[in-house]
Every structure is written in C-alpha cells, then in structure tokens.
Amino acid sequence: RLIVPLYSDGFDFCLMAITDDWGKSWFTSDPLVSIANSQPSLIRKQDGTLVAYMRDDGPPPQRVPTSESRDRGVTWSPVVDSDRVDTGAGVEIIALRSGRWLLINNDLEEGRHRLAVTLSDDEGKTWKWKRYLERDSEADVKAGAGSYHYPSIIQAKDGTLHASYSYHQKQSDVKRDAAGKPANESIKHAHFSEAWIMEGD
C-alpha cells in the first residue's frame, strides 16, 4: 500500500490518497478534521498503527496535532494536540534504523528562529534527546535574524541524517547573488548523526 498525505489550505483538514496497485487506481481516506490541521507526515508503529503528525494553524496553544489509523490509513482517530510545541509551521517525522523516531520542527510558540531535531525511543511517548540545527536568540530576532522552516529529513545508507530546510535572512546587508539581488532566501542542508543529536547542545 502506498499512501500520499494531502491537505486543504482553504478548509484546514487532511486526508490520505491510497493505492494498492502502485498508482493504477486510487481512493481516499476519511478526513482528519480539527480546528486547523494541515501538512501531515506519517510514521508507522511496530504494531502497524499509523500516526500522522501535522502542522497546527489553529489558535493557541501551538502544539503538533496527531491522529492514528489502525486500518492502514483508511479511517483516523479524532485529531488531538500532542505535547510537542510547534509554531504552526511544517513538521516531519521519520523512523530510523535504530528504531528511534526523529521529529524535526520549529519548537516555538511563536516565530521560526529555532529548528530542532528530537529523538524518541518509545514511539513518541517521550522525547529524550534534542539538538538545534538553528537557534537564534531574541536579540538576534530583533536584529533581523533568519527564519528556518519547512524541514525535510532522510536517513542515508550509511545511517547518517540529511536535513534540508528553507532559510530566509532578514538583514539588509546580506551577500548578493550573480544577478545582484540580495541572497536572503535559500535552502540549507545539514548533515549529522543520531549520536550528534544525543550529545545535546
């Protein structure tokens, strides 16, 4: 089974496009509905339960909404807030070869000036290790620090991790590109390991 997570910006809900014949035919799941959830990222527990971690575009408190499916993505439990703080920006979750789960997101109530990678060794019940790929201070923010968002992450064959994410710099004195325009919007790439995350900041 191949599942493609989808969402609507206008209606703020998610659903899954599902195919059991590698794309020859498709059907959709029941919708995942809350006040404002979008951009689901899926992970599977060892017992086969699927968990969707989503972006929260709703009112405070800003938390990562979650929902579970026990029938391979067709029906979903009510969407609830997890204990993971998120500023209402994109999140991604993956299962690592070690069995740990990795969540990458902006772990803030407001702003996108921090980007964290967090590890769980009990399928999301607790998150024991955290390290920051980006962490600007409040003073940096006032001075026009960067904004880091829409992260994506994969594990390579050698077990190391590759993250990419949007980087928007607000300062006016940034370097200029070949066309003479301020190079203040780009994609960053970070390469690191589980051990690096577990060392902490």
Side-chain angles (χ1 to χ4, degrees):
R1 172 163 290 181
L2 178 67
I3 301 176
V4 180
L6 303 172
Y7 68 97
S8 166
D9 264 335
F11 295 101
D12 283 325
F13 75 92
C14 307
L15 53 77
M16 308 298 163
I18 302 171
T19 177
D20 288 328
D21 54 17
W22 295 107
K24 292 178 183 176
S25 60
W26 294 85
F27 63 98
T28 57
S29 71
D30 289 352
L32 291 72
V33 180
S34 70
I35 294 175
N37 59 298
S38 64
Q39 299 176 1
S41 180
L42 303 183
I43 195 163
R44 185 170 57 187
K45 293 182 176 180
Q46 290 185 353
D47 69 2
T49 300
L50 295 176
V51 186
Y53 281 67
M54 293 164 278
R55 173 178 177 169
D56 181 3
D57 290 323
Q62 297 298 313
R63 299 292 183 268
V64 176
T66 62
S67 178
E68 294 189 353
S69 172
R70 291 182 171 82
D71 56 8
R72 302 175 68 215
V74 178
T75 62
W76 292 84
S77 66
V79 176
V80 297
D81 279 349
S82 70
D83 65 348
R84 299 291 86 201
V85 177
D86 187 78
T87 191
V91 306
E92 186 161 279
I93 189 163
I94 62 169
L96 303 178
R97 294 192 196 106
S98 65
R100 298 185 185 97
W101 288 9
L102 183 151
L103 178 71
I104 182 168
N105 75 307
N106 300 105
D107 67 334
L108 293 156
E109 289 273 0
E110 187 176 342
R112 297 182 181 182
H113 53 279
R114 276 192 344 221
L115 186 63
V117 284
T118 313
L119 290 174
S120 171
D121 62 0
D122 54 13
E123 297 189 323
K125 293 177 184 175
T126 62
W127 299 86
K128 297 179 182 175
W129 302 278
K130 179 192 288 187
R131 195 154 188 189
Y132 288 96
L133 297 178
E134 304 285 355
R135 191 176 191 180
D136 293 339
S137 68
E138 292 299 326
D140 292 334
V141 173
K142 290 178 181 177
S147 179
Y148 318 98
H149 34 248
Y150 303 109
S152 186
I153 193 162
I154 60 169
Q155 186 170 31
K157 287 182 179 180
D158 65 2
T160 61
L161 300 161
H162 293 264
S164 60
Y165 50 94
S166 299
Y167 168 53
H168 293 182
Q169 201 171 21
K170 297 176 183 175
Q171 291 102 331
S172 58
D173 58 348
V174 296
K175 294 180 181 178
R176 297 191 171 268
D177 63 19
K181 296 179 180 178
N184 56 0
E185 295 186 8
S186 62
I187 303 294
K188 276 196 173 187
H189 168 253
H191 182 209
F192 51 95
S193 66
E194 282 182 75
W196 178 83
I197 300 169
M198 295 168 81
E199 288 174 8
D201 286 317

